Amino acid sequence: MRRPHIRSVAVAIAVTTAATGLAGTAFAGPSTGAERSSASATTNATAVVEAARTAAFAHASATGVSQGDELHAQDVMLDPEGARHVRFVRTHDGMPVLGGDLVVHLDHKLAYAGVTRAAGHAVQPATTTARLTADQAAAKAAQAAKGDAGTAQLVVDARGGSSALAYQVTVTDQNGTNTVVIDAVTGKVRSNTPDSDEFLSPKLLESLRKRGETADPATGTASATPEGLLGSGASGAAASYPSAAKGTGKTLFVGSVGLTTTATSRGHYQLKDPSRYGTETRDAKGSTTEKFGAGATFTSTTNVWGNGTTGNRASAAADAQYGITKTLDFYKATFGRKGIANNSKAAQGMVHWGNKVANAFWDPTCNCMLYGDGDGQMFKKPLVVLDVTGHELTHGVVDATAKLEPTYVDSNGNQYGEPGALNESLADIFGSNVEFYANNAKDTPDYLIGEKLGLAQKFLRRLDHPSLDKLEGTIDYWSPDTYYTEVHAGSGVSSHAYYLLAEGSGKKTINGVAYDSPTYDHSTVKGIGRAKATAIFYRALTRYMVSTTSFHDARIATLKAAKDLYGANSTEYKTVDKAWAAVNVTAANTPAKH
């Protein structure tokens, strides 16, 4: 479940140019979507940013940039065929603008070529004079989120079709943090959303309770024939320390797997991968800390982690470390993406998080994965299965790119709206791709999500025919009511479009799994293959999606991506259009913008 990351938008403004914005510049290949780094990226990116910023103000009627706005670069993408794209967040009169993000597109001569903007209106609030004090706003936020409020910060809230002066407040309780936005004039709570990212929604958990269903997935699949390259000890006859070592993970769900670990001294190892930016899994030991440094390190004298059962605390850690590293490998091998935020930094995970927590989270506060052990009743095992990790870490990728946000959140924490549903869909799409990339015999690659959780319907969601998911009531096709659909249920629209693009409509068996994908218009869609479909969706995410992207916007984004990669007259481009029409997303039924 994608939690809004409003707070991270405001904080990031101060650090993007220095840290994240220009250092990880990527180059996308025109035929495969693969990306490669360039030694001159920073120099080139600086010139591109200045050109994009200048173009944004010069074309203010199109970009929506106005007097008082400042643009702060978050990402720069230089395509080998010539296009350049700069993702900006903005401030207005020095205040962070929520929902003010935009991507400026340039041609190979750095001339303005278009814009993708989150707000279709001006971001100036009617007044810049607050009636509430910061302390009053903090008190209202604390009451709304039932916790301890931090300092209230003035922002412009440009979400929802209008702009208003508001306060943004972080509220902390024993379960984590919420971001609360309070109208600075009326005192109204404009939004109140948890910052963590839960895989299982409150709606799903309630549905399971009503059914009296329990999930007790099979574990202990460690085998004598491990997957991957295994071993023990540091590489080289006379190793220096710390150094990379070849270890063995005896996991709960994917058998015995190879793990690259760190030899800290002769015969002593840590579950930390120096070959993947220092990616590490730690033990939260039942705490609800959101500080990775507070987790206990996993150490070993054998370089064997776990025994395939929950009785060994390192078993879940082996699953988590395997899933995190495979997700990193998938993004790097497929797109040249270096880490979740494309900044060559570690991905982190903590297992045994909280007391009887039946969930797994992407936590932007921790910038890491948090895995509960299950509640012992409804979910009886840790949620460390491979596609859960791929799904949740993809939320981190979305955080670092389009920052897709739900439109609203109900009092129970359920999220609604198409941008949030699209976020969930992308997490499912790339999560399933992590499975295909890992190609682990103990977890057959498929287009099913959560098939290892032990649910009665044998999966949580599926991409080929989403409405077969009765637990969440996932939908196959778009309608005007999709706006009011919980995000996991609504995710079926774009997940279905992706499956049709990749594999086509009708019956198909892949890796022993039977699929039968229907279409809204009874059309027949011939797929272009998973690799091309994935390249198109990734380029659409990174170049043409913003925080408010709807399904109809996503159609346009993927068409632009297909045009970039394969040409406007290509079969791939035409199939993108057919796939969206097959889920009832067309140019003709595009809703009017706010």
Side-chain angles (χ1 to χ4, degrees), residues 501-545:
L501 178 63
E503 302 291 352
S505 58
K507 294 182 178 181
K508 195 168 192 177
T509 299
I510 305 168
N511 293 340
V513 180
Y515 302 98
D516 190 358
S517 193
T519 59
Y520 178 84
D521 54 1
H522 305 293
S523 63
T524 297
V525 179
K526 183 178 179 181
I528 62 173
R530 183 171 48 82
K532 288 182 176 180
T534 304
I536 288 169
F537 268 70
Y538 179 78
R539 179 172 281 227
L541 166 64
T542 54
R543 277 116 173 114
Y544 300 113
M545 292 184 185

Side-chain angles (χ1 to χ4, degrees), residues 235-318:
S235 300
S240 59
Y241 302 104
S243 60
K246 297 174 183 177
T248 302
K250 294 191 173 182
T251 70
L252 296 174
F253 294 106
V254 288
S256 293
V257 297
L259 297 174
T260 301
T261 62
T262 298
T264 54
S265 62
R266 185 174 179 83
H268 294 85
Y269 307 94
Q270 183 176 340
L271 192 54
K272 182 177 183 179
D273 189 336
S275 68
R276 295 174 176 87
Y277 323 113
T279 288
E280 182 180 3
T281 299
R282 292 189 176 185
D283 189 344
K285 292 194 170 181
S287 76
T288 54
T289 181
E290 291 183 271
K291 296 180 179 179
F292 182 73
T297 58
F298 279 98
T299 60
S300 170
T301 57
T302 63
N303 212 4
V304 175
W305 309 87
N307 63 4
T309 73
T310 56
N312 187 312
R313 297 184 73 81
S315 297

